[in-house]
Amino acid sequence: MTGVAESAAPPWFTDLFAHRRWIRRIEPFPHIYARDVFVPEFYGRLAEELARVRGERPEAFGSVAADYGAVGASLAGLRDGPLALFLSREWHDMVARVTGVAATGDVEGAVHHHAPGSPPGSPHNDLNPAWFKGSAPGPGEVRTVDPEVDLATGPRTPEVFARETVRAVAVLFYLGNPDWRPGDGGETALYSHLGTNPVPAVTIPPLDNSLVLFECTPRSWHTFVGNNATARNSVVMWLHRPKDDVVRRWGGDSIAQWH
């Protein structure tokens, strides 16, 4: 098990958590799983905010990727409510600490909505490049994706300075799925290896107020199972590390380029 929300964090942050210990699993690759992450009052606020945004701001949700069945609303546009927690430096530093990753303070993320019957995804490891505008954030700052910078390819104009990073930690927090039951589909599958028709080694159910997070490595293979009987909602986000760190550890060819 692993400690979270240590006393060094401010009370407003530590008081949001229902307990202080999450489960650290080794197989099929190192990941951390937790149930009942937040106290009921704060989880209720998160779920209500998701329902409000989906009801009042449907235009905030757009296609996530050509080969991905979800629509998403960027966390950067949802800073006026409780979902802003996921862009706080306190959350960033806690996730970096429990995974042992020296992250840069650069964060991307969104609320994802899979409609019932969404197609399954393809296994991937999330070890992708990501560009952020300006110099590295300071110790108390968080930098999100800037419109002047394409996340996958860098500055949109020559006069804009941006840094290339690589996704370092993936976080999936499940919320707004009260009707989900075993057999409904829509889990997150984790794989020990790939090949023809790979079989998941572990499936993570999209239970409300639960999460899974893991370091992005060449073998952190995962995907959305799909064929969900009910809608599946989640917060999906990434912390980042300098590209040089990845090159030194696994080589430049390990970085999964965007297509």
Side-chain angles (χ1 to χ4, degrees):
M1 304 183 81
T2 185
V4 299
E6 294 177 347
S7 58
W12 73 261
F13 182 72
T14 58
D15 289 349
L16 299 178
F17 292 87
H19 51 82
R20 299 292 188 266
R21 302 195 68 81
W22 298 351
I23 299 171
R24 187 184 299 274
R25 298 170 171 170
I26 301 301
E27 300 295 337
F29 55 82
H31 64 281
I32 292 170
Y33 178 68
R35 292 279 303 274
D36 301 319
V37 175
F38 298 111
V39 295
E41 188 275 334
F42 184 68
Y43 171 74
R45 290 176 58 201
L46 291 170
E48 289 171 2
E49 179 69 357
L50 170 65
R52 184 190 71 81
V53 173
R54 283 196 47 77
E56 298 178 6
R57 298 176 55 191
E59 73 283 355
F61 289 80
S63 176
V64 174
D67 58 349
Y68 188 58
V71 293
S74 172
L75 288 174
L78 302 174
R79 296 174 182 267
D80 57 347
L83 289 167
L85 171 79
F86 297 106
L87 295 183
S88 70
R89 186 71 193 210
E90 287 80 5
W91 177 264
H92 171 281
D93 290 352
M94 183 195 70
V95 170
R97 184 180 69 251
V98 299
T99 53
V101 171
T104 59
D106 301 294
V107 174
E108 57 169 307
V111 176
H112 286 186
H113 173 79
H114 283 90
S118 292
S122 300
H124 53 285
N125 61 17
D126 276 359
L127 196 64
N128 305 113
W131 290 79
F132 291 87
K133 182 180 178 181
S135 57
E141 298 177 301
V142 164
R143 185 76 44 79
T144 57
V145 179
D146 191 282
E148 293 187 302
V149 177
D150 184 283
L151 177 69
T153 61
R156 299 183 188 275
T157 57
E159 63 271 15
V160 173
F161 170 73
R163 295 166 291 111
E164 185 179 12
T165 69
V166 179
R167 287 174 169 175
V169 182
V171 181
L172 292 90
F173 174 75
Y174 306 101
L175 75 169
N177 306 309
D179 299 326
W180 191 89
R181 298 292 183 273
D184 283 350
E187 297 95 336
T188 299
L190 310 183
Y191 298 84
S192 58
H193 57 82
L194 298 185
T196 304
N197 300 318
V199 176
V202 173
T203 55
I204 308 295
L207 297 172
D208 282 349
N209 202 15
S210 70
L211 65 71
V212 60
L213 61 87
F214 50 85
E215 182 180 8
C216 300
T217 76
R219 60 180 296 262
S220 56
W221 302 109
H222 64 284
T223 197
F224 170 66
V225 168
N227 301 316
N228 44 312
T230 60
R232 194 196 82 163
N233 298 290
S234 58
V235 171
V236 182
M237 61 174 294
W238 295 267
L239 275 57
H240 298 79
R241 62 185 1 144
K243 180 180 178 180
D244 289 348
D245 290 358
V246 175
V247 173
R248 282 194 296 269
R249 187 170 178 186
W250 297 299
D253 291 343
S254 69
I255 301 173
Q257 299 299 321
W258 298 92
H259 298 293

